[in-house]
Amino acid sequence: NFEDREVIIMKAIAGELDFVQGYELLPMDDYPVVKEGEKEGDYRVLLYRDFKSDGVISINPLTPDPVVRKILGDIRFRQAISLAIDREMINRTVFFGLSKPGQYAPLPSSSFYKEEWGTYYADYDVERANALLDEMGLKWDSEDIYRLKPDGETLEILLESGHGSKPEATMGEMLTAQWKKIGVKLAVRTEKATHERITEDLCELLTTVPESKGWVDVAMASSEPYFWGLGKGWEKWLKTDGKEGVEPPAEWKELKKWVDELISLRPGTEEWITLKQKIWDFRVKQLWVIGMVGQAPIFHLVKNYVRNFPEEGLFGWSTAMDIAYSPQQWFIKK
């Protein structure tokens, strides 16, 4: 049991470990060097698919600045910044082309999936994005570099890192350059966002990874993501039936009714699928969470003498990590 991730990587490449679970121990930026050492280390690198979006932007509707809050609350702004993301480039640069560019949405293999969710405002279209911001009345500054807020100040948005990881930092750099093309100045804070900033709704934008249970038909672990990515005040209100938090708009209260009804239905039935689609139609098209890429592979390192280990599969909180793959049945054969 090693706490230093660099030590884990070195020992893994040297072939000194029987099994290293991906996820946080083997992040994707280590994939090339670990893959290169396969033969010499006498191990195999197995790519599993994750359930969730690995690059997402959570927009806080309760950010303290009233001017920024009004801008973020305009659906046209959320549509514009989504259109201004070059997802293919992010996939190639951060995930080595192994992920799936697209919007924040459930897995395509889910029984309730709709094709339109994955592509909703997910094409790269700077011209269309600029047209939406023009329609909002967000004018350019005198040098045509950045747009101005209604109070005359530069439109600058703060993006904070949910985990403080290297991939998130890289995505932040890329978004800064991409959004500059539509006149949005992005300030990126690469260290992990503090608990206080998240829980007290002090963030404007947050890049992190959502819970994954609601993305599939049936899951073994983790809570539903229907209220995830909203301001903590809204989320708390919805989860406590209004006992705590900040009261959200009426449409989110309606969503809460649908979610409560869904819990009473048997997964896979026609009624369940219809209601699940109704919930995700609303959730995706609100764009309070904007997806960049999803289903990024998680890679495991497995020594060649470790047998009965599935060569492919899904992995994440929804499968309770590797519990679904019966680790008690793995064995060593030399």
Side-chain angles (χ1 to χ4, degrees):
N1 183 21
F2 306 103
E3 293 185 2
D4 190 329
R5 192 174 65 82
E6 295 302 320
V7 173
I8 293 173
I9 296 297
M10 288 189 292
K11 287 187 171 291
I13 294 172
E16 297 178 21
L17 303 176
D18 295 333
F19 167 66
V20 183
Q21 185 189 88
Y23 217 61
E24 294 181 349
L25 296 181
L26 293 174
M28 278 308 295
D29 46 305
D30 289 320
Y31 175 74
V33 67
V34 175
K35 181 67 176 175
E36 187 179 347
E38 253 184 334
K39 186 175 181 180
E40 187 174 343
D42 191 30
Y43 58 77
R44 58 198 189 277
V45 173
L46 303 180
L47 292 176
Y48 274 48
R49 285 286 173 192
D50 202 347
F51 289 90
K52 53 186 168 26
S53 289
D54 289 80
V56 296
I57 301 165
S58 170
I59 301 172
N60 182 13
L62 300 174
T63 186
D65 186 327
V67 178
V68 173
R69 186 165 64 243
K70 186 174 181 180
I71 291 172
L72 297 180
D74 192 317
I75 185 63
R76 293 171 296 181
F77 183 80
R78 304 197 296 275
Q79 291 168 344
I81 60 175
S82 182
L83 289 169
I85 299 171
D86 189 341
R87 291 169 172 82
E88 292 289 350
M89 181 180 289
I90 289 173
N91 181 34
R92 291 194 304 270
T93 304
V94 181
F95 298 98
F96 309 103
L98 297 171
S99 195
K100 304 287 185 184
Q103 197 51 266
Y104 171 76
L107 283 176
S109 58
S110 301
S111 63
F112 54 88
Y113 184 74
K114 286 186 178 181
E115 197 72 35
E116 65 195 63
W117 294 339
T119 59
Y120 188 73
Y121 281 89
D123 48 322
Y124 182 48
D125 193 335
V126 174
E127 183 178 351
R128 190 177 169 201
N130 271 313
L132 285 165
L133 298 183
D134 290 342
E135 186 181 304
M136 286 179 64
L138 296 173
K139 302 185 182 302
W140 292 85
D141 60 25
S142 58
E143 297 179 347
D144 286 332
I145 298 176
Y146 292 112
R147 292 180 183 268
L148 302 174
K149 297 184 292 185
D151 59 9
E153 297 293 323
T154 299
L155 175 53
E156 182 174 11
I157 307 293
L158 175 62
L159 174 69
E160 304 195 55
S161 177
H163 290 101
S165 67
K166 184 178 177 181
E168 286 183 356
T170 304
M171 285 188 280
E173 292 174 5
M174 297 180 74
L175 286 172
T176 300
Q178 291 170 13
W179 286 0
K180 187 176 181 180
K181 295 176 182 178
I182 60 170
V184 175
K185 186 176 183 180
L186 190 63
V188 180
R189 181 178 288 163
T190 55
E191 66 269 21
K192 183 176 181 178
T194 64
H195 178 73
E196 178 187 25
R197 290 192 61 76
I198 295 173
T199 56
E200 295 188 13
D201 286 315
L202 299 176
C203 300
E204 291 177 355
L205 307 181
L206 183 72
T207 174
T208 187
V209 178
E211 299 159 336
S212 56
K213 182 178 176 183
W215 299 61
V216 292
D217 291 329
V218 179
M220 295 174 63
S222 85
S223 58
E224 298 283 4
Y226 304 122
F227 310 132
W228 181 89
L230 302 173
K232 286 296 178 182
W234 282 11
E235 183 178 351
K236 187 176 289 186
W237 193 98
L238 291 163
K239 287 184 174 180
T240 63
D241 292 318
K243 296 182 180 68
E244 299 178 49
V246 178
E247 186 174 359
E251 60 265 27
W252 285 97
K253 298 177 189 176
E254 188 67 19
L255 177 73
K256 175 68 165 59
K257 294 178 183 177
W258 301 341
V259 171
D260 289 343
E261 183 183 349
L262 184 73
I263 295 171
S264 67
L265 301 177
R266 183 164 61 87
T269 61
E270 184 177 347
E271 188 179 7
W272 180 87
I273 290 174
T274 299
L275 188 54
K276 193 90 166 176
Q277 289 177 334
K278 187 177 180 181
I279 290 170
W280 275 104
D281 266 331
F282 175 83
R283 182 78 247 232
V284 170
K285 294 174 183 179
Q286 283 282 311
L287 288 176
W288 283 111
V289 176
I290 294 174
M292 292 182 280
V293 297
Q295 301 176 67
I298 289 174
F299 70 97
H300 301 314
L301 182 151
V302 186
K303 286 290 283 189
N304 287 327
Y305 54 66
V306 176
R307 311 309 301 166
N308 208 31
F309 191 100
E311 299 295 301
E312 59 182 21
L314 291 169
F315 187 86
W317 289 110
S318 295
T319 61
M321 298 303 182
D322 50 24
I323 292 176
Y325 299 104
S326 304
Q328 67 272 23
Q329 299 294 327
W330 306 344
F331 63 90
I332 291 175
K333 183 178 181 180
K334 293 186 177 180

